Amino acid sequence: MGSVTLTLSSIFSSGCWNLGSPVSLLRSLASTHIYSVKKNHHNRKNAVLVVSLCSGKTTLAHAHAVPHTTTSAPSSFKGYPEYQRLLPCPSENRPPRIEHLVVSEGGPVLDYICEVLDLPPLFVADLIHFGAVYYALVCPQPPLTATAEQIRVFKEATDPSLLSTRGSIQGKTIREAQKTFRITHVDQFVEAGTYLRVHVHPKRFPRCYEINWKSRILAVTESYVVLDKPAGTSVGGTTDNIEECCATFATRALELTTPLRTTHQIDNCTEGCVVLARTKEYCSVFHGKIREKKVKKLYLALAAAPIPVGMITHYMRPVNMAPRLISEDFIRGWHLCQLEVMECKKVPWPHSSIEEKYCIEDCGWPSKHYAYECKINLLTGRTHQVRAQLAACGAPIVGDSMYMPAAIAEISTPGLNPFGKFVKECPAQNDKEMAIMEWISRHGKEPSIAIGLQACQISWDDGEHCYEAGSPWWRR
């Protein structure tokens, strides 16, 4: 069976990211090593269908696998500069590129990826260290948009006569066999027919190397650590990068022998209090406190317009992708979103030098004389909830390049938001879907570094444990 690539749109991440600032600290990956790639005497001649995702576009091309005969990296690969390591960290993210493969001949995973994708061993070893390589015993089902050729390839790779010969999937349902797991070792054996997903350009977080992590530690106990998370970082890692995250760098800063575990999330562009568990047991305990609503979270939001004090209720569309769409009216199946605005005070709009220092993006808000600092009690913790709700109220968060453009569009053209208060009647289904797509297009990209949002306080057990973050960036 030839090596193949399958398009799986549900796995693709879209868009490009720019994290701006230069890296001030360079660090090598001590846990990775140089691995030689053995010469392949069989010289695979089967065509490889390569699907690459670059700049949000998917292209399909035929190529042939060329075996490596040396351990040195090629001088270039498809127009890219010579690959060395994933560190030093680039100041900007490369366009997303995800490769989907089916192993045609069993062997060590590093050797196979190096040969089929023509990538140097050091680079692939670092991808595996970053958690950017996944496998499944059987190919996932291709999407409805798959081409006839891609469907043919999928059927060939999952032919019952072939699957019946593989002992590794005996006793498993197809769904169980299609579940993906991270590759954790460079020498992990992958048998013929195994599906591989390789995030060749993982999302990078250069801010991790610029932070004095010890100075961000608010508390250390036997059970947990409280961190004042900096903006522009991920709490516990992303799909393609579990190396550059708060949990990893806080663990190293405290010289702990056991990695810290994430108990909850806040957005990459948000700063403030985050609780990291020191043990698996306390991680479960804290999750239980969240479920039982024993954890209280207060936020400071720098809004572009005033917000009335009191309760704000919306309903969020149950689609796990940004932007998060919300409605003022109840919609069956949508998630309840509630927050309480405790106070709202008028403050000067941050000076341009402050915005530049903290990489705050200019999103086109028409009036920048005053902003409004709001203290918010978050009652339900949905992804992007504060950002989406404030934008829906016409008071988007300063620097929020995703939700502010949509808020501006709704202000200039009332009724553009199909779930807003200016919609007079429910359109036909096709028109409704078109309106939703149009509304999504009015949103921008995720912020580069920071927005005017801070998780300023976290407490649990009726205030027995209470921690506060330092001053938000706009007060510094």
Side-chain angles (χ1 to χ4, degrees):
M1 180 169 54
S3 304
V4 299
T5 293
L6 297 178
T7 304
L8 302 171
S9 61
S10 62
I11 302 176
F12 283 168
S13 54
S14 61
C16 305
W17 298 277
N18 177 357
L19 292 181
S21 309
V23 178
S24 60
L25 174 65
L26 307 182
R27 184 177 53 78
S28 63
L29 293 175
S31 60
T32 55
H33 308 278
I34 298 177
Y35 290 86
S36 61
V37 178
K38 299 176 183 178
K39 185 175 181 179
N40 187 341
H41 298 289
H42 300 291
N43 190 13
R44 297 180 182 126
K45 295 182 180 179
N46 294 321
V48 180
L49 296 178
V50 180
V51 177
S52 298
L53 184 68
C54 278
S55 302
K57 297 180 179 179
T58 303
T59 57
L60 181 65
H62 289 274
H64 292 275
V66 180
H68 285 273
T69 56
T70 68
T71 59
S72 61
S75 59
S76 64
F77 172 72
K78 295 184 179 179
Y80 292 101
E82 180 179 352
Y83 285 121
Q84 296 295 333
R85 306 295 296 272
L86 289 185
L87 291 174
C89 180
S91 60
E92 295 186 4
N93 277 277
R94 286 177 173 174
R97 177 186 165 203
I98 305 173
E99 304 287 358
H100 304 271
L101 312 171
V102 172
V103 177
S104 61
E105 183 177 321
V109 66
L110 183 141
D111 292 9
Y112 190 84
I113 293 173
C114 288
E115 177 179 341
V116 173
L117 297 183
D118 196 22
L119 297 173
L122 273 177
F123 184 74
V124 176
D126 284 352
L127 286 178
I128 293 172
H129 178 85
F130 269 53
V133 182
Y134 292 77
Y135 79 97
L137 294 175
V138 175
C139 300
Q141 181 77 30
L144 296 176
T145 55
T147 65
E149 174 64 14
Q150 290 162 351
I151 294 173
R152 185 196 67 78
V153 167
F154 169 77
K155 289 181 178 179
E156 178 183 322
T158 58
D159 187 278
S161 63
L162 292 176
L163 296 181
S164 64
T165 64
R166 296 178 57 190
S168 61
I169 64 175
Q170 298 305 311
K172 293 182 173 66
T173 65
I174 290 295
R175 186 168 184 176
E176 289 172 340
Q178 290 176 333
K179 186 176 181 179
T180 56
F181 300 90
R182 273 194 171 96
I183 296 285
T184 57
H185 302 287
V186 293
D187 56 354
Q188 185 168 330
F189 183 89
V190 288
E191 66 179 357
T194 300
Y195 161 79
L196 293 175
R197 185 175 87 238
V198 185
H199 296 257
V200 183
H201 296 165
K203 184 175 181 178
R204 307 303 302 276
F205 294 90
R207 284 274 290 165
C208 286
Y209 305 96
E210 302 170 357
I211 301 299
N212 178 350
W213 288 93
K214 282 190 175 181
S215 70
R216 310 291 298 204
I217 305 296
L218 298 177
V220 180
T221 73
E222 292 183 357
S223 302
Y224 61 84
V225 169
V226 183
L227 175 72
D228 187 353
K229 173 193 172 297
T233 62
S234 170
V235 176
T238 58
T239 301
D240 52 10
N241 187 344
I242 57 174
E243 163 69 16
E244 295 169 338
C245 67
C246 294
T248 297
F249 278 77
T251 298
R252 292 180 183 144
L254 294 171
E255 299 180 353
L256 301 177
T257 56
T258 303
L260 292 168
R261 298 170 177 266
T262 58
T263 63
H264 62 106
Q265 296 283 347
I266 60 176
D267 292 346
N268 296 346
C269 55
T270 303
E271 61 183 21
C273 297
V274 170
V275 177
L276 303 170
R278 295 189 63 174
T279 65
K280 181 179 181 180
E281 292 72 23
Y282 191 77
C283 191
S284 297
V285 168
F286 200 85
H287 286 161
K289 294 181 186 296
I290 293 175
R291 287 194 302 271
E292 296 165 8
K293 300 189 182 302
K294 293 181 178 179
V295 179
K296 183 177 181 179
K297 301 175 184 178
L298 298 183
Y299 282 78
L300 286 178
L302 190 67
I307 306 172
V309 172
M311 190 79 71
I312 299 178
T313 299
H314 289 92
Y315 298 89
M316 181 176 288
R317 186 175 70 148
V319 175
N320 189 27
M321 61 183 297
R324 304 294 173 134
L325 303 187
I326 61 176
S327 169
E328 291 189 355
D329 299 323
F330 171 81
I331 300 178
R332 184 180 297 276
W334 286 36
H335 303 310
L336 174 68
C337 293
Q338 285 187 320
L339 58 81
E340 178 189 6
V341 179
M342 303 171 68
E343 60 181 56
C344 180
K345 58 182 181 180
K346 191 176 183 179
V347 297
W349 192 281
H351 191 272
S352 58
S353 61
I354 299 296
E355 290 187 313
E356 182 177 356
K357 179 179 179 180
Y358 293 100
C359 303
I360 307 303
E361 298 186 43
D362 183 354
C363 307
W365 192 255
S367 176
K368 296 184 178 179
H369 300 294
Y370 295 100
Y372 298 83
E373 184 181 279
C374 306
K375 179 173 284 190
I376 293 172
N377 179 16
L378 188 61
L379 301 175
T380 57
R382 308 295 181 188
T383 301
H384 291 194
Q385 180 183 329
V386 177
R387 299 165 58 188
Q389 283 197 269
L390 265 58
C393 295
I397 293 173
V398 171
D400 194 343
S401 53
M402 174 165 283
Y403 291 96
M404 186 177 280
I408 295 173
E410 173 71 358
I411 291 171
S412 61
T413 310
L416 188 61
N417 178 2
F419 306 107
K421 59 185 176 182
F422 296 109
V423 175
K424 296 181 180 179
E425 58 184 27
C426 183
Q429 185 61 31
N430 289 342
D431 292 339
K432 182 80 169 182
E433 291 176 0
M434 289 294 294
I436 291 173
M437 294 304 298
E438 168 66 15
W439 179 236
I440 289 175
S441 72
R442 295 291 179 163
H443 293 73
K445 62 180 180 62
E446 268 292 295
S448 300
I449 300 291
I451 62 174
L453 187 61
Q454 182 198 55
C456 63
Q457 183 186 103
I458 190 167
S459 61
W460 61 95
D461 294 343
D462 295 324
E464 180 180 345
H465 306 275
C466 185
Y467 301 94
E468 294 187 1
S471 297
W473 60 263
W474 59 89
R475 290 187 191 169
R476 297 170 196 163

